[in-house]
């Protein structure tokens, strides 16, 4: 939601419906955005959709004709869906928004990603790189943003896709496509890149500019229901791992190999973007831009002197980009930057719902919770004291984050110096695989003391991986390869978390905390006080801080079993 070009609100439907990856019309999210802006549907100048369904259908039809008769079953399944739903986006929008009468505009998918990367960035002029699975036809693009103008100049086209190549290895490793790619990235340091040569020799023809061709004889995503086929399995030691089956060395080596190839492709594409535009500032979006390991290496190798990545780099952020593109292109509005500030305009990505003390108190009382209204400063001190004792604290404060990362509004916090904390969090709170790493949040002013970041270098959205400095002992957040996915925290972007970090630092001399998303495996990030309390009760979280309220698990009148629900594993 934009008002006069300023981002007012943004949220994903799954946070409200509690259905992870909910693909239905975002009715609840739209209602929230209108409420946050204080307007009704009638006051909207335009509703903008983040891709062009007709062009996407053109790609699907051409693909089916190209591979026919293979893919008939897939076509018979997808055809009715397109006829009944995806070609009727405008009608659906108007009907879902109380018979909205205004403009409905459409942007191309990678233009939406590019706009989400460039317009909120702090750069007046920048190269733009977008990489994902596929939009209409494009799978990656390069462009130039200058002032209010944004132009895409290069694109890689379907079916050659880094996003889909990474998803194919995600599938082979036994993780769910479109949600398990970050697991593959986390698994990579446990393996050896023994399959890299095979990938280059058999699967892709990689060129110096980062473009490449994929040999489709090894894949089944063009017209099937799987990512890979028997030929792929023969190359890589057998069929895909069964979901929830044991992870072996093969899966670890597959992850290490694909991650190395991904990093090389991103490196070459970024180098091309910087060279072709003549800009040393680079903006990135698209699902592959969430690969924090590749991003960190771009910065450390100096390919771009300045790097800004959209915190909601996936399709959720595309909706925001579509609105920004319409504002500057369709409505011809200028773009103005604050020359005295190096900050972006994402407001720390804290763009979701927030709840007043009265609303939190009423919700807790309605659930029968025992809570103590002790004021924000005391809650901060209590939380820091508990963390210093080795407790796990659920932190619920202010506006919810937009995008996949917990940035200090809906977070689970813990002491990173505790060697057993990673296992505790994975097995007793998150209910997920033991290899999964956790990210550190660190006071921005102290980040270079603990991580190999230059003084003043920031990673506010947890999208850069950096080595942990030699001699620093933070076992709960240091991954197998000696790195960590860092969030640098300031009072401007994450005020509540900043206060807790400062209080923890005063007690322990350590300005770093484990920060993981406030949810369990298979569920979206918590949104409301009820979501937070339910997750608190269903897990081994010790304390729940919801300023000005503080809750102790041992005082609650109900048991964990009374709040337990079946988990939908992803």
């Amino acid at each position: 939601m934009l008002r006069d070009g300023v981002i007012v609100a943004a949220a994903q439907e799954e946070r409200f419906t509690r259905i992870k990856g909910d693909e239905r019309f975002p009715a609840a999210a739209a209602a929230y955005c209108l409420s946050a802006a204080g307007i009704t549907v009638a006051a909207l100048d335009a509703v903008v959709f983040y891709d062009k369904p007709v062009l996407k259908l053109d790609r699907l039809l051409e693909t089916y004709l190209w591979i026919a008769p293979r893919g008939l079953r897939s076509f018979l399944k997808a055809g009715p869906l397109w006829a009944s739903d995806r070609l009727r986006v405008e009608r659906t929008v108007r009907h879902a928004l109380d018979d909205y009468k205004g403009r409905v505009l459409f942007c191309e998918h990678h233009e939406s990603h590019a706009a989400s990367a460039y317009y909120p960035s702090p750069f007046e002029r920048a190269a733009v790189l977008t990489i994902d699975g596929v939009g209409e036809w494009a799978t990656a693009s390069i462009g130039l943003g200058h002032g209010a103008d944004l132009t895409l100049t290069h694109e890689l086209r379907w079916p050659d896709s880094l996003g889909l190549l990474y998803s194919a290895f995600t599938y082979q490793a036994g993780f769910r496509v479109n949600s398990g790619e970050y697991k593959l990235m986390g698994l990579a340091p446990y393996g050896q890149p023994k399959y890299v040569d095979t990938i280059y020799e058999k699967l892709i023809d990689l060129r110096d500019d980062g473009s490449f061709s994929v040999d489709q004889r090894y894949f089944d995503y063009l017209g099937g229901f799987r990512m890979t086929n028997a030929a792929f399995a023969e190359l890589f030691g057998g069929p895909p791992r069964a979901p929830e089956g044991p992870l072996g060395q093969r899966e670890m080596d597959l992850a290490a190999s694909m991650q190395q190839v991904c990093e090389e492709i991103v490196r070459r594409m970024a180098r091309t973007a910087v060279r072709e535009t003549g800009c040393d500032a680079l903006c990135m979006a698209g699902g592959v831009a969430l690969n924090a390991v590749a991003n960190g290496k771009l910065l450390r190798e100096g390919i771009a002197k300045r790097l800004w990545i959209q915190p909601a780099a996936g399709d959720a952020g595309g909706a925001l980009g579509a609105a920004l593109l319409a504002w500057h292109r369709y409505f011809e509005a200028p773009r103005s930057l604050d020359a005295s500030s190096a900050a972006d305009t994402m407001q720390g990505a804290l763009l979701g719902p927030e709840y007043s003390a009265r609303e939190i108190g009423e919700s807790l009382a309605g659930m029968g919770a025992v809570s103590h209204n002790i004021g924000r400063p005391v809650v901060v001190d209590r939380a820091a004291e508990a963390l210093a004792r080795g407790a796990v604290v659920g932190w619920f404060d202010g506006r919810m984050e937009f995008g996949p990362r917990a940035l200090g509004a809906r977070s689970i916090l813990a002491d990173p110096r505790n060697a057993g904390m990673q296992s505790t969090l994975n097995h007793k709170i998150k209910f997920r695989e033991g290899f999964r790493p956790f990210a550190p949040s660190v006071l921005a002013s102290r980040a270079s003391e603990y991580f190999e970041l230059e003084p003043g270098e920031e990673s506010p959205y947890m999208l850069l991986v950096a080595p942990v400095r030699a001699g620093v002992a933070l076992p709960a957040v240091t991954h197998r390869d000696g790195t960590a996915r860092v969030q640098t925290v300031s009072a401007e972007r994450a005020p509540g978390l900043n206060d807790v970090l400062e209080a923890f630092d005063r007690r322990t001399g350590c300005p770093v905390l484990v920060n993981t998303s406030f949810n369990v495996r298979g569920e979206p990030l918590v949104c409301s006080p009820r979501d937070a309390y339910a997750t608190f009760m269903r897990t081994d979280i010790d304390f729940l801080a919801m300023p000005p309220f503080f809750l102790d698990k041992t005082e609650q009148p109900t048991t964990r079993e009374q709040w337990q629900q079946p988990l939908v594993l992803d």
Side-chain angles (χ1 to χ4, degrees), residues 18 116 150 157 185 240 249 268 396 427 446 462 501:
R18 312 308 303 156
S116 79
L150 174 63
R157 305 198 94 200
M185 182 179 71
Q249 191 61 46
R268 294 188 189 193
F396 180 101
H427 293 116
R446 306 279 302 282
M462 211 180 276
L501 281 164

Side-chain angles (χ1 to χ4, degrees), residues 402-465:
F402 180 53
R405 308 296 186 216
L407 301 172
R410 305 291 188 271
S411 292
I412 297 172
L413 305 177
D415 186 344
R417 302 168 302 164
N418 186 331
M421 189 57 72
Q422 182 189 13
S423 177
T424 296
L425 290 172
N426 270 327
H427 293 116
K428 295 186 177 182
I429 294 172
K430 302 289 283 187
F431 307 123
R432 67 187 197 181
E433 302 92 344
F435 72 86
R436 300 273 293 279
F438 290 97
S441 292
V442 57
L443 289 173
S445 60
R446 306 279 302 282
S448 61
E449 299 174 28
Y450 291 82
F451 306 98
E452 291 188 14
L453 296 169
E454 295 297 322
E457 192 169 85
E458 293 191 329
S459 176
Y461 300 122
M462 211 180 276
L463 288 171
L464 295 176
V465 163

Side-chain angles (χ1 to χ4, degrees), residues 192-363:
Q192 296 297 320
K194 62 182 291 185
Y195 298 111
V196 167
D197 289 344
T198 302
I199 295 172
Y200 286 135
E201 291 168 7
K202 299 292 186 180
L203 300 188
I204 65 171
D205 176 19
L206 177 61
R207 295 175 278 276
D208 287 343
D209 63 359
S211 65
F212 58 91
S213 301
V214 176
D215 189 335
Q216 293 298 327
R217 291 177 298 176
Y218 296 94
F219 300 90
D220 200 32
Y221 59 74
L222 290 183
F225 294 99
R226 302 172 302 168
M227 292 300 298
T228 61
N229 58 23
F232 188 98
E234 186 176 350
L235 275 183
F236 298 108
R241 177 182 73 97
E244 304 306 315
L247 280 165
Q249 191 61 46
R250 182 189 71 147
E251 287 74 37
M252 298 174 190
D253 294 342
L254 285 169
S257 302
M258 186 61 242
Q259 178 62 31
Q260 182 170 309
V261 170
C262 175
E263 291 166 15
E264 180 60 26
I265 293 173
V266 171
R267 181 185 295 112
R268 294 188 189 193
M269 286 186 174
R271 190 185 299 120
T272 299
V274 169
R275 182 184 67 245
E276 292 295 317
T277 61
C279 295
D280 64 3
L282 176 65
C283 302
M284 294 177 63
V288 176
L290 293 171
N291 194 304
V293 178
N295 298 340
K297 291 185 177 181
L298 283 185
L299 200 59
R300 289 197 298 278
E301 292 174 15
I303 290 173
K305 291 184 179 178
R306 296 172 294 166
L307 180 64
W308 192 87
I309 303 158
Q310 167 56 238
D315 286 353
L320 177 61
L324 287 163
L325 189 64
W327 174 248
H328 292 293
R329 183 177 292 175
Y330 184 88
F331 293 101
E332 300 181 339
R335 178 174 182 255
S336 58
L337 292 175
D338 182 355
S340 65
S341 173
D344 58 57
T345 60
M346 284 294 294
Q347 302 173 45
L350 303 178
L351 298 167
E354 62 182 331
Y355 297 84
S356 67
R358 179 184 60 80
E359 290 171 321
I360 294 171
E362 290 177 353
S363 180

Side-chain angles (χ1 to χ4, degrees), residues 7-256:
I7 303 168
V8 174
Q12 292 141 273
E13 185 72 2
E14 64 172 18
R15 307 286 174 84
F16 302 94
T17 64
R18 312 308 303 156
I19 300 172
K20 190 170 183 178
D22 196 339
E23 295 183 350
R24 296 173 296 181
F25 182 87
Y32 155 68
C33 288
L34 289 167
S35 174
I39 63 172
T40 65
V41 168
L44 291 172
D45 292 305
V47 174
V48 194
F49 193 68
Y50 75 114
D51 68 15
K52 294 187 175 181
V54 172
L55 291 180
K56 187 169 284 188
L57 178 61
D58 176 59
R59 187 248 302 166
L60 290 172
L61 290 175
E62 285 201 30
T63 300
Y64 285 128
L65 288 173
W66 175 32
I67 65 173
R70 185 166 63 93
L72 179 61
R73 286 178 57 226
S74 177
F75 176 76
L76 292 175
K77 181 177 180 180
L81 178 64
W82 275 91
S84 63
D85 182 17
R86 295 182 182 175
L87 284 179
R88 301 177 180 179
V89 170
E90 181 172 350
R91 189 180 71 174
T92 300
V93 167
R94 295 190 185 282
H95 175 72
L97 296 179
D98 299 325
D99 294 324
Y100 168 67
K101 307 297 183 187
R103 303 175 184 89
V104 177
L105 306 175
F106 295 83
C107 302
E108 288 196 24
H109 188 90
H110 276 259
E111 282 194 316
S112 297
H113 277 319
S116 79
Y118 169 64
Y119 287 121
S121 80
F123 308 138
E124 172 64 25
R125 189 172 187 271
V128 182
L129 174 62
T130 69
I131 317 171
D132 68 0
V134 63
E136 294 86 3
W137 282 98
T139 61
S141 71
I142 289 171
L144 173 66
H146 186 195
D149 297 326
L150 174 63
T151 304
L152 299 187
T153 56
H154 302 68
E155 70 176 23
L156 185 67
R157 305 198 94 200
W158 170 268
D160 303 318
S161 165
L162 177 55
L164 291 175
L165 182 64
Y166 205 91
S167 291
F169 279 81
T170 300
Y171 174 82
Q172 187 73 10
F175 302 125
R176 182 178 292 181
V177 171
N178 293 329
S179 65
E181 283 77 6
Y182 60 95
K183 298 182 185 181
L184 195 76
M185 182 179 71
L187 186 62
Y190 291 87
Q192 296 297 320
K194 62 182 291 185
Y195 298 111
V196 167
D197 289 344
T198 302
I199 295 172
Y200 286 135
E201 291 168 7
K202 299 292 186 180
L203 300 188
I204 65 171
D205 176 19
L206 177 61
R207 295 175 278 276
D208 287 343
D209 63 359
S211 65
F212 58 91
S213 301
V214 176
D215 189 335
Q216 293 298 327
R217 291 177 298 176
Y218 296 94
F219 300 90
D220 200 32
Y221 59 74
L222 290 183
F225 294 99
R226 302 172 302 168
M227 292 300 298
T228 61
N229 58 23
F232 188 98
E234 186 176 350
L235 275 183
F236 298 108
R241 177 182 73 97
E244 304 306 315
L247 280 165
Q249 191 61 46
R250 182 189 71 147
E251 287 74 37
M252 298 174 190
D253 294 342
L254 285 169

